[in-house]
Amino acid sequence: MSGFIIDLDGTLYAGQRSIPYAAEFIAFLQKNNLPYLLLTNNSSRLPEEVAVHLYKVSGIIVEPGKIFTSAQAAARYASHHQKRALAYCIGEKGLVQALESAGLEVLQKIDEKDNRLTSEQIKLWPPKYVIQGIDRQFTYAKLEKAVQFITAGAAFINTNPDHLLPSENGIQPGAGSIAAAIELASQVKPIVIGKPSSIIMNYAIELIGLPPKDIWVVGDNIRTDIGGGIAVGCPTALVLTGLATAENVQQQMDESRIQPTLICSHLMELANRLYP
């Protein structure tokens, strides 16, 4: 029996647009009781919100428990290394709630209008972690506090390395762009959790409960989805419905030097090739 780790944006939907054959593929997995997990680098949404968005855009019905986000993975990583730790969070609701659900204390009571922290304040609030994801309200004050905490000894965790995000309004800066500012200012490299990191991939494998060789990693991004799958020994399937297209796939493989196990035009082509 095969399991599936499936990307979301670009694979099951494209922003506010449905992707052909996505709903049919999930229905195929459900009908045949094939284990699957939907895996996203997006740290801003709760799994429940992702499930609602998936239904509204593509008509796909999944339980929130079938969705695993980079926010949940970051929370799991941090709490595994120190339970009840204090964390300074740069992120949105999905990340804050994931940290709290994992038992971390989230330090969000510093007045963001106060651009400076004294050495006494830093000693008063010595967080174990600075955990950062996408934050559309990112400010210089947040950058300054993150750098002060990191240089005082806090571990720097970044939910995902995506520098740019596609949107209906064009390209937008991603969590990786914020991480780059913090890294440059603090001179400390973050622990990266999201795809293609083996951290989130190994958590996903654990949740599915099958050996890596029996789990297909499916997505439209050759660097994050396919690269992440290869890093943990899974077979991979690149679908040409998002970042990768029939026109650019060869160039992307040449530039990245990453070769997926299969390349499919759409998800049901994958289903038909695996289960003829």
Side-chain angles (χ1 to χ4, degrees), residues 167-189:
S167 76
E168 288 72 26
N169 299 318
I171 295 296
Q172 296 179 340
S177 294
I178 298 173
I182 298 171
E183 178 182 342
L184 183 62
S186 68
Q187 292 297 292
V188 173
K189 288 185 176 296

Side-chain angles (χ1 to χ4, degrees), residues 244-260:
T245 65
E247 291 73 30
N248 66 24
V249 63
Q250 189 60 54
Q251 180 183 352
Q252 289 189 12
M253 289 192 295
D254 292 343
E255 290 176 351
S256 66
R257 297 184 179 179
I258 295 172
Q259 178 67 52

Side-chain angles (χ1 to χ4, degrees), residues 77-135:
Y77 178 89
S79 64
H80 174 76
H81 286 81
Q82 184 172 331
K83 295 185 181 300
R84 308 302 304 176
L86 186 64
Y88 180 59
C89 176
I90 295 176
E92 298 180 5
K93 180 173 66 174
L95 181 56
V96 173
Q97 183 162 318
L99 298 178
E100 292 177 336
S101 296
L104 295 162
E105 298 288 343
V106 180
L107 179 57
Q108 296 298 93
K109 294 182 181 178
I110 297 176
D111 184 1
E112 296 295 354
K113 294 180 181 178
D114 175 14
N115 287 346
R116 296 187 178 279
L117 289 174
T118 66
S119 57
E120 289 75 16
Q121 286 174 311
I122 294 173
K123 290 177 183 177
L124 207 71
W125 298 308
K128 174 72 174 178
Y129 301 109
V130 170
I131 303 179
Q132 171 263 317
I134 187 68
D135 186 344

Side-chain angles (χ1 to χ4, degrees), residues 3-217:
F4 295 84
I5 295 172
I6 308 163
D7 175 56
L8 282 161
D9 205 346
T11 303
L12 295 182
Y13 56 76
Q16 300 295 325
R17 177 174 56 83
S18 63
I19 288 179
Y21 301 107
E24 291 88 339
F25 181 70
I26 297 299
F28 172 83
L29 299 182
Q30 293 169 340
K31 179 181 178 181
N32 290 280
N33 295 314
L34 295 170
Y36 67 93
L37 186 73
L38 308 184
L39 188 65
T40 177
N41 270 1
N42 188 332
S43 65
S44 65
R45 287 177 175 153
L46 305 174
E48 293 80 2
E49 293 174 324
V50 175
V52 169
H53 181 74
L54 192 57
Y55 176 70
K56 285 183 176 179
V57 173
S58 298
I60 296 172
I61 300 175
V62 297
E63 303 170 8
K66 291 286 190 182
I67 298 164
F68 193 61
T69 72
S70 64
Q72 291 173 290
R76 183 171 178 174
Y77 178 89
S79 64
H80 174 76
H81 286 81
Q82 184 172 331
K83 295 185 181 300
R84 308 302 304 176
L86 186 64
Y88 180 59
C89 176
I90 295 176
E92 298 180 5
K93 180 173 66 174
L95 181 56
V96 173
Q97 183 162 318
L99 298 178
E100 292 177 336
S101 296
L104 295 162
E105 298 288 343
V106 180
L107 179 57
Q108 296 298 93
K109 294 182 181 178
I110 297 176
D111 184 1
E112 296 295 354
K113 294 180 181 178
D114 175 14
N115 287 346
R116 296 187 178 279
L117 289 174
T118 66
S119 57
E120 289 75 16
Q121 286 174 311
I122 294 173
K123 290 177 183 177
L124 207 71
W125 298 308
K128 174 72 174 178
Y129 301 109
V130 170
I131 303 179
Q132 171 263 317
I134 187 68
D135 186 344
R136 294 171 183 85
Q137 303 301 317
F138 184 61
T139 63
Y140 184 87
K142 292 181 181 181
L143 172 63
E144 186 174 32
K145 291 177 179 66
V147 170
Q148 288 173 332
F149 287 138
I150 292 167
T151 54
F156 176 23
I157 295 176
N158 165 240
T159 59
N160 72 83
D162 302 327
H163 288 100
L164 296 173
L165 300 173
S167 76
E168 288 72 26
N169 299 318
I171 295 296
Q172 296 179 340
S177 294
I178 298 173
I182 298 171
E183 178 182 342
L184 183 62
S186 68
Q187 292 297 292
V188 173
K189 288 185 176 296
I191 299 162
V192 178
I193 301 295
K195 299 178 287 184
S197 169
S198 60
I199 294 173
I200 196 170
M201 297 304 301
N202 281 322
Y203 287 158
I205 289 169
E206 181 183 334
L207 288 168
I208 288 184
L210 292 173
K213 66 181 179 62
D214 295 331
I215 302 174
W216 283 85
V217 176

